[in-house]
Amino acid sequence: MADTALIPAERARPDLGAILYWGFVWGAGILVLIYLIGPILLALLMSFNSGTTLAFPPKGLSLRWYAALLDPVQSEPIHTAAKNSFEIALCVVVMVTLITAPAAWALARAPRKMVNAVEPILLAPLVLPSLVYALAALLALSLLGLGPSFIAVLIGHSAVFAPLMFRTVLGLAQRMNPALEEASATLGASRARTFLRVSLPGIAPGILAGAFFVFMQSLDNVSVTLFLGEPGRTMLPLRLFAMLEESLDGRVAAVSGLLILAAALLMFTLRRFTGRAAR
Amino acid sequence: MTETGLWISDVNHSYEGKQVLHGVNFNVPAGKVVALLGPSGCGKSTILRAIAGLIVPDQGRITLDGRDLTRVAVRDRKLGMVFQNFALFSHMTVAENIAYGLAGLPKAERVARVERLLDLVRLRPFAARFPPRLSGGQQQRVAVARALATDPAALLMDEPFGALDRALRSELQAELVRMQEDVGITTVMVTHDQEEAQAVAEQLVVMNEGRVEQVGSPEEIYDNPASLFVNGFIGHANRIPATVTGPSRLKARDETELGFNRALNFRPGSEIVVTCRPEDLALSTRPEQGAFAARFDRAVMMGPLLNIEATLPEGSQFKAQVPRDGTARPDRGQTIWLRPNPARLQVFPAPQA
Ligand SMILES: Nc1ncnc2c1ncn2[C@@H]1O[C@H](COP(=O)(O)OP(=O)(O)O)[C@@H](O)[C@H]1O
Ligand SMILES: [Mg+2]
């Protein structure tokens, strides 16, 4: 019996089917990766261009576009637009968190039937084009006799992006062991204390991940902002678009560079944080 | 009249229209350990949750040391509970877990209390660890310490050894008994493992399908089971369908006649089931009066004893446990005779088909 182990197994001869299969898997995989990452790398490279316009390949490497972007006089409109966008995005994240986290937590405790009935409605904004929602909201606003405003944008963004956080929190809340909250109660904790000390830490990774998605989507959004925002108040995406229309301004690439950096940093810290929470 | 200890009186409960507790009654004397024992799904956890206040039973009363708990909110009951998978807070250290219920105390007192409990469960070196980085046994001790920290009036434990491997259990059971004696707290432990129940508790409450079948000490329950279910659930019981033929006589299906030294509470002609423990059977290789002929299947030695498996002609399995006295073992397939000790036989009405 032991002897058979000493006879070398015959090498499996690679057949044509396997070659085609793996060739396709690897080929398609690499193509998709290039498709996903390529443009981002391209934008990054162009942001370091030393030439006078957006161009590829870059003539030489320099930080001139970043310097120009940070210049308070020359880039004042961009700064204002960025400030407006960040302001909205932050407010949206706060509002979405305050509404969505408790809602998802409560729904995780509701009867299964109710969840099945309510969930599609709450997730509808995810599948509905935000353009449709923005138009509807604008019509509703004018029906109420209200005009475009900061508050309208805030509410609009919150409604459209809340499902992003709702999903991440609901997933965690549903998987949370109900005995944890029961244990807290048997130890004499009030409902509020149980929520703050036990439930909230349990769903915190979901809130953080959701906040990241909501922030990025709000920052990026054009249609809702365009329909519901005051015309005088420019937002970052609108400003960048306008700049590209005027000239091939290299500062646009520099903005993307900074955004890519910020997103990467945020994602990195988020992963570390949620990784630790899930320990 | 105030009665000490924990009293469960006539508790009924239904989940979604399905009744899972039927008039449950038992009591736990102050300072004693009672084990709730029964097969999975028989309602043990439900009773424990009713005592803890996590559910409000449809009917019935629960009192502790004279205090009616039935309408008291969970957090005001002041009971310690150890959950089935411990339900430790994984984002808090061991010490923080134990201190969780002590929020109302001044800091110095809280710290002193946590240290005392860490000593009690021998976990002081692990105070700063997070629960996921502890072994199963250590997690269980954290759960016990956390439950005891608030100085509860009673301790409730739902399968506290269920998540641990066998080898660890007996050690931790002994530890729990020691700790319980130190603290002297009224304790209800839920388990589906009869050995565990016997190792930890002075009183057993045997449950089946939402009903209490018998309450008593492990000896009482083993020697005088109240029902066929209890008889088979606590220890092994060989079952022999039979018919009563006289005031203290009966005849088994295979025509073997058995005489009793006591009167049977059954009318002649009644269909009954006689049960017999493996250790109450004597083995013989020759026909004997009052012995069942059976086919010898196999024998496994266990220390000084021999565990024998045999099959009766009508097909039912018999287990016998006899001393290993050096006589030759029967061969496989050979006919043997197993003679029950009439004084130790139990008689029950035949289950309704
Ligand atoms: N939350 C619940 N909803 C519906 N049925 C339940 C619920 N909890 C338990 N049951 C049912 O009640 C019965 C008793 O359950 P349980 O008390 O957990 O049994 P045990 O702890 O003895 O295994 C089982 O049939 C179980 O399916
Ligand atoms: Mg249970």
Side-chain angles (χ1 to χ4, degrees):
Chain A
M1 274 245 303
D3 292 351
T4 55
L6 297 177
I7 301 168
E10 197 186 335
R11 274 256 189 83
R13 217 177 300 142
D15 63 300
L16 190 64
I19 294 174
L20 282 177
Y21 174 77
W22 287 111
F24 178 76
V25 168
W26 277 98
I30 288 169
L31 276 180
V32 168
L33 279 183
I34 291 174
Y35 179 77
L36 288 177
I37 299 173
I40 297 176
L41 288 179
L42 210 67
L44 259 182
L45 263 180
M46 280 166 28
S47 73
F48 294 111
N49 189 6
S50 59
T52 49
T53 59
L54 267 182
F56 192 84
K59 293 207 178 68
L61 291 179
S62 85
L63 289 174
R64 64 178 287 192
W65 294 114
Y66 286 91
L69 181 64
L70 294 178
D71 185 292
V73 182
Q74 186 192 352
S75 298
E76 199 270 335
I78 305 184
H79 292 182
T80 312
K83 188 178 134 281
N84 287 343
S85 278
F86 276 92
E87 225 169 67
I88 277 283
L90 272 179
C91 291
V92 167
V93 164
V94 171
M95 184 150 154
V96 166
T97 304
L98 287 180
I99 294 172
T100 309
W105 175 78
L107 213 58
R109 271 142 201 80
R112 189 72 233 169
K113 266 192 200 144
M114 190 163 143
V115 181
N116 288 344
V118 173
E119 203 179 359
I121 301 175
L122 292 179
L123 293 182
L126 265 191
V127 285
L128 211 64
S130 64
L131 192 69
V132 174
Y133 176 82
L135 193 62
L138 182 65
L139 294 175
L141 271 184
S142 56
L143 210 66
L144 290 171
L146 301 171
S149 67
F150 179 83
I151 299 289
V153 177
L154 176 60
I155 294 176
H157 278 204
S158 298
V160 175
F161 302 128
L164 295 171
M165 185 182 289
F166 179 78
R167 282 228 303 215
T168 54
V169 177
L170 187 69
L172 279 184
Q174 281 175 332
R175 265 179 285 137
M176 196 151 80
N177 179 3
L180 291 173
E181 287 169 1
E182 292 174 349
S184 171
T186 62
L187 290 165
S190 64
R191 274 166 192 272
R193 182 167 145 83
T194 297
F195 183 78
L196 289 178
R197 297 281 322 264
V198 177
S199 323
L200 199 54
I203 57 175
I207 293 180
L208 282 179
F212 176 71
F213 293 139
V214 170
F215 187 83
M216 285 304 173
Q217 289 296 315
S218 168
L219 207 60
D220 185 53
N221 182 269
V222 175
S223 51
V224 178
T225 315
L226 207 57
F227 278 68
L228 301 181
E230 302 145 280
R233 222 177 141 96
T234 48
M235 298 287 187
L236 196 56
L238 298 177
R239 180 76 219 130
L240 293 186
F241 198 68
M243 280 163 65
L244 276 183
E245 268 189 336
E246 288 159 17
S247 67
L248 286 177
D249 195 327
R251 284 178 297 170
V252 175
V255 172
S256 342
L258 285 183
L259 285 178
I260 291 166
L261 181 73
L265 276 178
L266 259 175
M267 211 139 94
F268 181 73
T269 45
L270 203 68
R271 278 184 70 131
R272 287 203 49 147
F273 188 90
T274 53
R276 212 177 40 183
R279 169 194 46 204
Chain B
M1 189 182 79
T2 58
E3 286 162 305
T4 61
L6 179 65
W7 291 77
I8 316 300
S9 317
D10 304 315
V11 170
N12 286 327
H13 192 69
S14 304
Y15 284 121
E16 293 148 15
K18 197 180 113 232
Q19 191 165 357
V20 295
L21 294 181
H22 302 263
V24 172
N25 267 304
F26 65 93
N27 82 302
V28 186
K32 300 282 184 223
V33 186
V34 161
L36 270 183
L37 181 61
S40 185
C42 73
K44 307 179 297 290
S45 296
T46 306
I47 262 288
L48 209 66
R49 294 169 68 78
I51 300 171
L54 295 168
I55 58 165
V56 178
D58 300 342
Q59 272 160 11
R61 241 164 73 90
I62 294 163
T63 63
L64 178 60
D65 297 331
R67 184 165 70 113
D68 189 343
L69 291 183
T70 320
R71 302 278 147 212
V72 178
V74 189
R75 63 193 182 93
D76 298 323
R77 290 202 183 194
K78 311 247 181 306
L79 303 176
M81 177 130 175
V82 175
F83 286 81
Q84 194 155 6
N85 288 304
F86 312 137
L88 297 177
F89 305 131
S90 57
H91 60 287
M92 299 181 201
T93 63
V94 168
E96 285 165 349
N97 266 278
I98 297 175
Y100 189 84
L102 304 175
L105 291 183
K107 178 126 199 279
E109 213 173 307
R110 196 162 66 216
V111 170
R113 188 78 151 262
V114 169
E115 293 196 339
R116 220 176 50 236
L117 281 148
L118 282 170
D119 287 339
L120 181 73
V121 296
R122 303 192 180 147
L123 281 177
R124 195 185 270 259
F126 302 94
R129 284 258 188 118
F130 287 89
R133 297 200 46 241
L134 296 175
S135 73
Q138 290 165 339
Q139 291 184 17
Q140 189 239 31
R141 276 140 66 197
V142 176
V144 172
R146 183 179 70 177
L148 288 177
T150 54
D151 209 359
L155 180 63
L156 311 173
M157 297 191 283
D158 198 348
E159 314 230 0
F161 305 98
L164 309 175
D165 48 79
R166 278 226 153 262
L168 202 62
R169 282 191 206 174
S170 57
E171 191 187 319
L172 283 166
Q173 284 160 11
E175 177 109 339
L176 187 76
V177 170
R178 170 188 69 79
M179 217 162 56
Q180 201 278 336
E181 280 167 357
D182 272 8
V183 183
I185 184 172
T186 308
T187 303
V188 184
M189 181 184 79
V190 160
T191 174
H192 62 260
D193 180 340
Q194 46 152 323
E195 283 173 29
E196 183 172 299
Q198 289 164 8
V200 175
E202 295 129 274
Q203 285 268 322
L204 309 186
V205 175
V206 185
M207 288 184 65
N208 188 32
E209 295 181 349
R211 291 186 170 81
V212 173
E213 296 260 338
Q214 189 172 5
V215 178
S217 69
E219 288 85 356
E220 279 163 10
I221 289 178
Y222 189 83
D223 293 338
N224 289 305
S227 65
L228 199 53
F229 168 80
V230 175
N231 197 186
F233 189 70
I234 310 288
H236 183 79
N238 296 308
R239 294 180 174 208
I240 310 152
T243 312
V244 177
T245 52
S248 59
R249 292 200 67 75
L250 51 81
K251 187 153 79 174
R253 293 273 161 80
D254 68 349
E255 304 290 311
T256 306
E257 295 207 45
L258 293 175
F260 278 70
N261 53 0
R262 58 193 148 110
L264 295 171
N265 289 328
F266 292 92
R267 251 184 249 133
S270 307
E271 293 291 313
I272 56 167
V273 173
V274 183
T275 68
C276 174
R277 299 283 188 201
E279 66 272 22
D280 296 329
L281 284 165
L283 170 70
S284 165
T285 48
R286 272 164 293 136
E288 277 187 38
Q289 186 69 33
F292 293 93
R295 189 187 72 224
F296 176 84
D297 291 332
R298 57 193 222 112
V300 178
M301 102 85 170
M302 206 184 78
L305 300 170
L306 204 55
N307 286 333
I308 292 173
E309 285 171 28
T311 309
L312 259 51
E314 99 275 6
S316 60
Q317 293 286 319
F318 245 52
K319 285 189 179 165
Q321 193 172 54
V322 298
R324 213 151 47 84
D325 53 9
T327 52
R329 279 190 208 182
D331 294 320
R332 191 187 181 88
Q334 187 184 335
T335 301
I336 56 173
W337 282 266
L338 296 167
R339 184 170 43 79
N341 173 359
R344 306 274 300 164
L345 290 176
Q346 301 287 336
V347 182
F348 301 99
Q352 308 297 319

